[in-house]
């Protein structure tokens, strides 16, 4: 992953402004510690912090076309860049071997779009972004008319924010009326976004003048922007209109119920293609292996197809795998077993509850969220990423996205029908950029490590979401547990991908699998810092997304110290949840409304180690930490004061 910061239409073009942009870009340097670049043209600045994965020697950014009239700063990977280069109508001179340089040529003009893509550039315009297969956020400046575009990948694997500088006047409002057109059609007009999945996330910014900012993380915007928002996935922004438009429109997006028959071999082959294309690398890499179904399938496919690839020739044919957990955690045991079966070079990392607690403030600063589930899972991933980077590894494959596509969370057991099941998967995929994609990207990028997610491959999602959702429904009486059709697709008797008991292991959320005492420890720690009296006043202290628990209150305090702006608060989702459900799915079981907690154990009647129905969590058990039994964490953890 890299970090990008772009400031367009800036009134101040002095050397001091350039120095300020360099200073702000430094806040993103953890994402790209290998090189820094800054391009300035008149009133526009494009800054880039590079993590060198492809062409480490010469792929520095920003990148240019032949005449350097087109300049682009990119965060991400374009997996089909070789195909795009081969299919250009005329040959091009490339300055680097970077996979991202093709964007500058692809979007240059009508003569650059290949006829094999059916439409000429004149018809598609900026929709050429749809030709890109990968994860990406980019800002492209056309110096010929001083116009620019910005775009983000379809699912939001890479982060991007849009902001408006203090050098202009703006007014921001939420809950835009979808039927009301407020665009002025000019740069100095209005930009609005309607979130079709969550109306509370819609917004409108009316501008009279001033600069527009784009950044990979909001920490580069908080001090110099009047307001900022999440740049929505699957969208493109054009300076010529000042509009955000959704370019990603798959068949499943509308929520219509699909009816395609389930073809296990087609599903298997499409996922194998997704994994293999992500083995594109010029640096050491590996796979995050928790021992659960998703990460185990990624590791199994990568291990099976690694031989003969360019990566294998450079770094050897044996796959490296990595796992993290508390001593004796379920994930460590399962990950070790899968690694032994696949013959990978396996690396285990353990952490203590105290080490996780000590890292919380830093984790929240890097992931830029106060969401409880995200913080619970980000902390062990953050600690593991640091260890992985210390080994010299710069890229990993990870298993995010499968649960959203196949209804893998335990609460899907209670889906009343296939229609509700499918609509919930659609809602979950659309929200990934605020949850698991955010976690996987920012928790690893904090240490200059890139995470790639093959389950979120565009072609794989399209296939999986076209299957009749009746096939995905969980029917325990028939032996069909969560993600059954994915498990069945890789249940190969002649040439097994995984041992049967791993292939059919019950779903564990990452924050649970690293050790149940981790979540219990977080709750006890929060109780040491947040009193009952503080909770009574929570709605007045935090009127927006009021924290419902002491744990949520504690995270919110840490977040507000770094990001006190209202627009920052609004980037984090809220609302009730059980076992990572959306608010809509809570209605599936009446008991869930009394047991709201994002842990998988809150799915009463679904998890083998579920909470008791009369409790918010199981009775506290001794915690094993470095081989020593401890009593309740509340009595053993120092009470460090937190200043808000």
């Amino acid at each position: 992953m890299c970090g990008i910061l772009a400031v367009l239409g800036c009134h101040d073009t002095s050397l001091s402004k350039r120095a300020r942009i360099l200073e702000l870009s430094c806040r993103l340097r953890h994402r790209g510690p290998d090189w820094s670049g800054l391009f300035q043209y008149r009133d526009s600045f494009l800054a880039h912090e590079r993590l060198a994965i492809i062409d480490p020697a010469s792929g520095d950014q920003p990148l240019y076309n032949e005449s350097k009239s087109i300049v682009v700063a990119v965060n991400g990977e374009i997996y089909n860049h070789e195909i795009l280069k081969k299919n250009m109508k005329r040959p091009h001179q490339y300055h680097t071997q970077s996979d991202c340089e093709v964007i500058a040529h692809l979007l240059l003009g009508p003569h650059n779009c290949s006829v094999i893509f059916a439409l000429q550039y004149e018809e598609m315009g900026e929709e050429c972004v749809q030709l890109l297969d990968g994860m990406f956020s980019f800002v492209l400046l056309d110096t010929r008319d001083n116009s620019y575009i910005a775009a983000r990948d379809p699912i939001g694997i890479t982060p991007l924010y849009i902001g408006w500088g203090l050098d202009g006047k703006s007014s921001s409002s939420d809950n835009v009326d979808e039927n009301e057109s407020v665009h002025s059609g000019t740069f100095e007009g209005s930009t609005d976004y309607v979130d079709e999945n969550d109306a509370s996330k819609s917004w409108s910014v009316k501008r009279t003048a001033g600069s527009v900012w784009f950044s990979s993380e909001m920490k580069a915007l908080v001090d110099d922007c009047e307001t900022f928002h999440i740049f929505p996935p699957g969208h493109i922004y054009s300076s010529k209109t000042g509009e955000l438009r959704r370019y990603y429109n798959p068949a499943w997006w509308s929520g219509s119920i699909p009816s395609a028959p389930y073809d296990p071999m087609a599903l298997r082959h499409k996922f194998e293609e997704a994994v293999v294309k992500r083995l594109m690398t010029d640096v050491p890499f590996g796979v995050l292996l928790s021992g659960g179904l998703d990460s185990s399938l990624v590791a199994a496919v990568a291990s099976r197809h690694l031989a003969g690839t360019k990566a294998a020739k450079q770094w050897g044919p044996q796959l490296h795998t990595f796992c993290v957990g508390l001593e004796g955690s379920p994930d460590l045991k399962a990950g070790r077993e899968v690694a032994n079966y696949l013959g990978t070079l396996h690396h285990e990392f353990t952490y203590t509850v105290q080490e996780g607690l000590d890292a919380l403030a830093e984790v929240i600063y890097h992931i830029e969220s106060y969401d409880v589930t995200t913080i619970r899972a980000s902390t062990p991933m953050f600690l593991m990423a640091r260890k992985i980077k210390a080994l010299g590894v710069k890229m990993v494959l990870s298993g995010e996205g499968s649960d959203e596509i196949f209804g893998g969370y335990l609460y899907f057991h209670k889906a009343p029908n296939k229609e509700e099941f499918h609509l919930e998967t659609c809602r979950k995929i659309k929200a990934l950029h605020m949850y698991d994609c955010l976690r996987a990207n920012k928790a690893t990028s904090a240490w200059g490590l890139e995470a790639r997610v093959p389950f979120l491959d565009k072609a794989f999602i399209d296939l999986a979401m076209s299957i009749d959702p009746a096939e995905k429904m969980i029917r325990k009486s028939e032996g069909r547990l969560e993600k059954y059709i994915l498990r069945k697709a890789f249940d190969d008797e002649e040439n097994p991908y995984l041992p049967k008991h791993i292939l059919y292991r019950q779903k564990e959320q990452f924050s649970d699998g690293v050790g149940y005492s981790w979540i219990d420890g977080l709750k006890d720690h929060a109780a040491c810092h947040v009193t009952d009296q503080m909770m009574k006043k929570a709605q007045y202290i935090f009127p927006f997304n009021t924290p419902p628990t002491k744990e949520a209150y504690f995270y919110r305090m840490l977040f507000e110290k770094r990001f006190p702006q209202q627009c920052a608060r609004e980037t984090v989702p809220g609302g009730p949840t059980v076992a990572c459900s959306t608010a809509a799915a809570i209605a599936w079981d009446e008991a869930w409304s009394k047991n709201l907690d994002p842990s998988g154990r809150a799915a009463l009647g679904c998890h083998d180690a579920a909470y008791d129905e009369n409790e918010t969590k199981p009775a506290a058990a001794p915690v094993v930490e470095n081989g020593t039994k401890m009593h309740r964490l509340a009595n053993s953890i120092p009470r460090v004061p937190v200043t808000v």
Side-chain angles (χ1 to χ4, degrees):
M1 282 299 134
C2 302
I4 60 175
L5 174 64
V7 185
L8 297 309
C10 186
H11 290 175
D12 182 3
T13 59
S14 66
L15 290 177
S16 62
K17 186 64 174 183
R18 182 183 178 93
R20 177 58 178 168
I21 291 173
L22 286 170
E23 180 183 352
L24 295 174
S25 185
C26 283
R27 298 183 185 182
L28 307 176
R29 190 156 295 166
H30 54 275
R31 298 183 60 85
D34 296 333
W35 196 250
S36 303
L38 175 61
F39 173 85
Q40 179 182 0
Y41 178 77
R42 296 181 181 173
D43 59 356
S44 298
F45 299 82
L46 267 63
H48 190 271
E49 303 292 340
R50 188 188 184 208
L51 179 65
I53 302 293
I54 303 297
D55 187 19
S58 63
D60 298 336
Q61 295 196 42
L63 298 162
Y64 310 88
N65 65 330
E66 293 99 329
S67 64
K68 294 194 174 182
S69 60
I70 304 292
V71 190
V72 63
V74 189
N75 168 35
E77 304 292 343
I78 308 301
Y79 303 121
N80 65 336
H81 70 107
E82 292 290 352
I83 296 174
L84 293 174
K85 288 178 180 178
K86 289 178 182 178
N87 290 318
M88 293 288 186
K89 288 196 69 176
R90 66 174 180 83
H92 289 267
Q93 178 183 350
Y94 293 91
H95 302 288
T96 74
Q97 296 301 311
S98 169
D99 56 296
C100 295
E101 187 180 349
V102 70
I103 296 175
H105 299 274
L106 186 65
L107 297 175
L108 176 60
H111 54 281
N112 287 325
C113 272
S114 170
V115 293
I116 71 162
F117 297 112
L119 291 174
Q120 295 290 334
Y121 184 85
E122 291 96 332
E123 295 181 49
M124 295 184 66
E126 293 149 359
E127 297 297 336
C128 267
V129 70
Q130 296 191 66
L131 306 180
L132 303 176
D133 180 10
M135 54 179 184
F136 56 84
S137 299
F138 69 81
V139 179
L140 181 145
L141 174 66
D142 187 341
T143 64
R144 297 173 299 182
D145 58 5
N146 207 29
S147 64
Y148 60 87
I149 61 172
R152 189 179 183 189
D153 67 69
I155 303 299
I157 302 169
T158 62
L160 188 64
Y161 296 83
I162 180 172
W164 289 266
L166 295 170
D167 54 357
K169 293 182 179 180
S170 68
S171 60
S172 181
S173 62
D174 300 325
N175 301 320
V176 177
D177 183 350
E178 188 173 358
N179 297 315
E180 179 185 0
S181 177
V182 294
H183 296 303
S184 69
T186 65
F187 171 77
E188 295 181 357
S190 173
T191 300
D192 53 285
Y193 166 62
V194 176
D195 190 320
E196 299 167 352
N197 195 47
D198 184 355
S200 67
K201 295 298 178 185
S202 300
W203 49 264
S204 176
V205 176
K206 296 178 175 63
R207 295 287 291 181
T208 56
S211 54
V212 180
W213 296 55
F214 300 91
S215 178
S216 297
E217 296 182 3
M218 64 183 181
K219 55 180 61 69
L221 305 179
V222 290
D223 295 324
D224 291 68
C225 284
E226 184 178 0
T227 187
F228 52 86
H229 294 280
I230 293 173
F231 191 102
H235 280 67
I236 187 168
Y237 176 90
S238 170
S239 65
K240 294 179 179 179
T241 63
E243 292 182 351
L244 271 168
R245 295 183 296 103
R246 181 158 59 87
Y247 69 83
Y248 180 58
N249 294 283
W252 60 267
W253 191 270
S254 66
S256 59
I257 309 303
S259 58
Y262 166 52
D263 183 341
M265 293 307 297
L267 194 65
R268 180 198 295 185
H269 292 155
K270 191 62 68 176
F271 182 66
E272 288 182 316
E273 291 174 5
V275 173
V276 170
K277 73 173 68 169
R278 284 160 178 79
L279 298 178
M280 177 187 80
T281 178
D282 292 329
V283 298
F285 73 101
V287 174
L288 303 184
L289 177 60
S290 68
L293 174 67
D294 306 329
S295 64
S296 297
L297 285 178
V298 174
V301 173
S303 182
R304 185 170 291 198
H305 291 276
L306 181 58
T309 65
K310 178 183 176 182
K313 294 176 183 177
Q314 287 182 294
W315 308 110
Q318 189 176 25
L319 185 68
H320 287 257
T321 52
F322 310 94
C323 188
V324 68
L326 301 177
E327 193 72 40
S329 70
D331 278 2
L332 287 179
K333 179 182 177 181
R336 187 183 312 127
E337 184 177 4
V338 174
N340 290 337
Y341 179 82
L342 297 176
T344 69
L345 188 57
H346 193 56
H347 310 266
E348 287 186 3
F349 308 114
T350 60
Y351 75 103
T352 66
V353 171
Q354 186 63 61
E355 287 172 333
L357 297 175
D358 291 342
L360 282 175
E362 193 175 4
V363 168
I364 290 172
Y365 172 70
H366 277 287
I367 66 171
E368 302 179 323
S369 178
Y370 51 84
D371 175 68
V372 170
T373 313
T374 303
I375 294 168
R376 288 176 177 180
S378 292
T379 304
M381 196 171 200
F382 174 86
L383 297 172
M384 174 173 57
R386 187 176 189 181
K387 292 281 190 178
I388 293 173
K389 187 61 182 293
L391 296 176
V393 172
K394 297 176 72 173
M395 185 272 284
V396 291
L397 272 61
S398 191
E400 280 75 17
S402 173
D403 291 316
E404 288 74 14
I405 296 169
F406 294 101
Y409 292 106
L410 294 178
Y411 73 89
F412 275 94
H413 281 245
K414 299 294 182 75
N417 51 59
K418 73 175 188 178
E419 290 80 12
E420 284 294 318
F421 191 106
H422 178 71
L423 291 175
E424 178 69 1
T425 61
C426 292
R427 289 190 290 264
K428 291 292 291 182
I429 295 173
K430 292 176 183 179
L432 266 170
H433 68 285
M434 297 183 290
Y435 294 103
D436 285 21
C437 286
L438 179 148
R439 167 183 54 79
N441 183 281
K442 292 184 179 179
T444 54
S445 293
W447 302 107
L449 180 68
E450 177 174 288
R452 299 179 180 176
V453 284
F455 278 108
L456 296 180
D457 179 83
K458 267 199 310 184
F460 181 75
I461 293 176
D462 288 346
L463 175 62
M465 292 300 288
S466 71
I467 299 171
D468 188 334
E471 298 284 357
K472 298 180 182 180
M473 292 283 286
I474 301 166
R475 296 186 286 272
K476 294 180 70 174
S477 61
E478 301 175 18
R480 295 176 66 96
L481 67 168
E482 62 275 357
K483 295 183 285 192
Y484 177 78
I485 63 173
L486 178 63
R487 301 173 194 268
K488 192 66 178 175
F490 286 90
D491 193 349
D492 191 327
E493 296 288 349
E494 296 183 1
N495 189 16
Y497 285 79
L498 294 168
K500 285 276 190 181
H501 64 283
I502 293 292
L503 190 61
Y504 291 94
R505 180 191 179 197
Q506 184 183 55
K507 162 69 183 174
E508 288 282 10
Q509 290 170 205
F510 183 56
S511 53
D512 285 329
V514 296
Y516 292 147
S517 56
W518 169 234
I519 292 178
D520 297 338
L522 286 168
K523 292 180 178 181
D524 288 338
H525 184 63
C528 296
H529 295 284
V530 182
T531 66
D532 293 341
Q533 190 64 26
M534 293 167 70
M535 287 302 299
K536 290 179 181 179
K537 298 180 179 179
Q539 61 180 318
Y540 306 107
I541 303 299
F542 303 115
F544 179 83
N545 275 353
T546 302
T549 65
K550 291 183 177 181
E551 183 185 5
Y553 194 112
F554 181 65
Y555 299 155
R556 186 64 172 272
M557 289 194 299
L558 296 177
F559 178 88
E560 295 270 344
K561 289 175 65 177
R562 297 294 194 129
F563 307 104
Q565 298 86 349
Q566 177 61 19
C567 55
R569 301 181 191 110
E570 292 172 357
T571 65
V572 182
T577 180
V578 60
C580 289
S581 74
T582 67
I586 293 175
W588 293 352
D589 191 308
E590 184 179 354
W592 287 352
S593 62
K594 304 174 184 178
N595 197 52
L596 298 174
D597 190 284
S599 169
R601 290 180 290 162
L604 304 179
C606 301
H607 196 290
D608 292 341
Y611 296 156
D612 186 279
E613 292 196 24
N614 297 317
E615 299 178 296
T616 56
K617 68 175 185 179
V623 180
V624 177
E625 185 171 352
N626 291 337
T628 304
K629 286 188 176 181
M630 302 171 61
H631 297 293
R632 281 185 59 84
L633 285 167
N635 297 322
S636 61
I637 298 172
R639 300 194 179 193
V640 181
V642 176
T643 304
V644 180

